[in-house]
Amino acid sequence: MNTLLKTAAVAAITAIATAAGAQTDAQPANDSNTPLHLLKPAYKTGYGVLKPEEVKRDMDRVLKYVRANTPTGVTDADGNIITDYNKIDSRSRLAQGAFRLASYEWGVTYSAMLAAHKATADRAYLDYAVSRLRFLADVAPHFRKALKEGAGIDRQMRRILSPGSLDDAGAVCSAMIKACLDDESLPLGDLIANYFNFIMHKEYRLPDGTFARNRPYRNSLWLDDMFMGIPAVAFMGRYDKANPAAYYDEAVKQVRQFAARMFVPEKGLFRHGWVESMAEHPAFHWGRANGWALLTMCEVLDALPVNHSGREEVLSLLRAHVRGLAALQGNDGFWHQLLDRSDSYPETSATAIYVYCFAHAINKGWIDAMTYGPAAMLGWHAVASAINGSGQVEGVCVGTGMGFDPAFYCYRPVNVFAAHGYGPVIWAGAEMINLLKRQHPYSNDSAVLFYRSAQNTTKPIFGEAE
């Protein structure tokens, strides 16, 4: 909140309290003797216009926590740290922390850290991502040698060198591409090529080319796979200049084909799963999967050239999805595990993804700040409330398969070690900082409102936006 407005609000509230106290013996505070509209509401998670430094303080706690819990290093069979990577063999293992360095959740985290560096100019975020990506690139050839010899190797490294699903490949590949677009000297080319070969040529697909799985049934679409595969394809158009149009076209085609089967227009939401053999297609609108879909559209729009023929189609879908989501935000700022079921629990990772996407779409001019800025601001208050004193992110649903009944989703556990929450929180905070720097939010009569231009804050704001 603007300092002058905050001072005025505090003075008004103090006056109310004084007036109310003075009336105790004479007559109670009422509409005639007290400006009741200035009474302080009992918000659950916080409210009001934030400052960039407030957001960064929350982000820094998360960075400190994940940095301490994701060590780099390789150990030998006896658990000793290997300093000479030439000594890596089949018995060697990556040093263990609370989180894995090459999971799809940590691919999201690397992308988030790169964005956080750009938003804050704090090299700690860049160094976190680059040091770990470089470490993986440095040890990969030595583990590959053991793998070629037919030996069993560290499970994480096996999933890097021999991906078995989009979960193994897509999000980390996308983060590596972004890192290389910022710094061409990074030695990530071999890993990017290996990941991308799986995405384009080995991942199972429907006959029309849509990324698919054969679980829980044959020819199943998982909404998660939009994010696990499509952004890497889109950003490859920026990375591989040989034939960028083919990558952009493929990314748009994938978005279109997922949406044709999984977007529910009357709700403005995506169903989590679609199974080809079902006569009817149930629609369970799982929060985080809808987040992956919305995040995918943001990523594709970031990668596509402004004149690409499919851009307006993706943009129209994004706007429809944002409308559907905005209508379902809870009064505490969170979105629910099942978006249209208020009896399901508030879920942090989905909320963080929506905060990022709403703020990013506003900053890019894709959606209106006046309409959606307050939702993003309220959402960040909710996300910040889920960051505990240790920097852990609470209220995050653990990994979740596909189900076709509400109990399956509503009773999925939450855990501070569910890695899905950390990248989205950092990414959301970074984009909120951009939003606070680029947009014009003010408190007007206690409400958070966004204006088209900077306002005169030496007096209360009551006029229309300029």
Side-chain angles (χ1 to χ4, degrees), residues 28-334:
N30 57 43
D31 184 58
S32 296
N33 60 39
T34 306
L36 299 176
H37 68 286
L38 293 178
L39 287 172
K40 185 174 179 61
Y43 297 114
K44 293 181 181 179
T45 59
Y47 189 78
V49 177
L50 294 156
K51 295 179 180 178
E53 55 267 29
E54 294 175 314
V55 177
K56 188 173 184 297
R57 280 197 295 269
D58 291 325
M59 294 168 60
D60 287 347
R61 293 208 315 279
V62 177
L63 171 63
K64 181 180 179 180
Y65 175 73
V66 299
R67 188 165 50 197
N69 286 277
T70 49
T72 57
V74 181
T75 59
D76 63 18
D78 298 319
N80 301 311
I81 294 294
I82 296 174
T83 56
D84 180 359
Y85 292 158
N86 289 310
K87 295 181 179 180
I88 289 174
D89 59 25
S90 63
R91 299 168 298 171
S92 304
R93 296 291 180 265
L94 297 186
Q96 295 297 299
F99 306 101
R100 294 168 290 151
L101 293 183
S103 66
Y104 73 81
E105 301 97 327
W106 236 244
V108 177
T109 302
Y110 296 135
S111 286
M113 295 290 180
L114 297 173
H117 169 246
K118 293 176 181 177
T120 66
D122 186 343
R123 281 198 61 90
Y125 291 93
L126 178 65
D127 291 344
Y128 177 87
V130 169
S131 64
R132 282 151 179 80
L133 294 176
R134 187 184 292 275
F135 164 73
L136 293 174
D138 288 345
V139 301
H142 304 282
F143 279 102
R144 184 178 286 113
K145 182 174 181 291
L147 184 63
K148 287 182 177 179
E149 292 171 354
I153 64 168
D154 178 271
R155 184 181 177 186
Q156 284 195 68
M157 290 306 305
R158 177 178 289 277
R159 294 177 73 172
I160 293 172
L161 299 174
S162 183
S165 68
L166 287 179
D167 285 2
D168 295 341
V172 179
C173 181
S174 182
M176 287 183 171
I177 291 172
K178 293 174 193 174
C180 287
L181 290 175
D182 291 339
D183 182 356
E184 294 181 356
S185 70
L186 290 174
L188 304 176
D190 287 347
L191 290 179
I192 290 172
N194 185 59
Y195 278 135
F196 200 72
N197 180 58
F198 177 84
I199 294 168
M200 291 299 292
H201 303 298
K202 296 182 180 180
E203 171 63 18
Y204 183 77
R205 299 182 183 221
L206 297 184
D208 66 0
T210 308
F211 295 135
R213 309 189 198 190
N214 281 320
R215 67 180 181 92
Y217 302 103
R218 179 173 173 77
N219 288 350
S220 298
L221 295 191
W222 294 58
L223 189 59
D224 320 52
D225 285 344
M226 287 186 69
F227 182 77
M228 304 308 157
I230 300 174
V233 175
F235 278 103
M236 185 57 74
R238 296 284 184 94
Y239 179 77
D240 181 0
K241 302 298 195 299
N243 186 18
Y247 301 121
Y248 299 141
D249 292 347
E250 174 68 12
V252 171
K253 184 186 84 168
Q254 289 286 341
V255 171
R256 179 186 303 122
Q257 292 176 177
F258 269 94
R261 296 174 171 96
M262 307 189 80
F263 190 64
V264 182
E266 59 270 25
K267 288 196 172 184
L269 303 173
F270 284 84
R271 55 172 52 90
H272 180 211
W274 180 93
V275 178
E276 184 180 60
S277 59
M278 284 184 168
E280 298 181 36
H281 298 284
F284 289 90
H285 306 295
W286 181 36
R288 188 161 65 229
N290 270 261
W292 295 140
L294 187 62
L295 183 55
T296 296
M297 290 183 276
C298 286
E299 294 279 87
V300 169
L301 289 169
D302 282 345
L304 286 180
V306 294
N307 61 349
H308 190 274
S309 61
R311 187 177 184 84
E312 284 304 313
E313 182 180 358
V314 177
L315 186 55
S316 177
L317 181 62
L318 177 142
R319 288 169 174 158
H321 196 194
V322 166
R323 284 193 295 273
L325 291 167
L328 295 172
Q329 186 177 28
N331 63 13
D332 56 0
F334 285 102

Side-chain angles (χ1 to χ4, degrees), residues 374-394:
M377 192 82 71
L378 180 60
W380 177 258
H381 278 290
V383 169
S385 76
I387 303 170
N388 68 26
S390 300
Q392 296 172 317
V393 179
E394 300 178 340

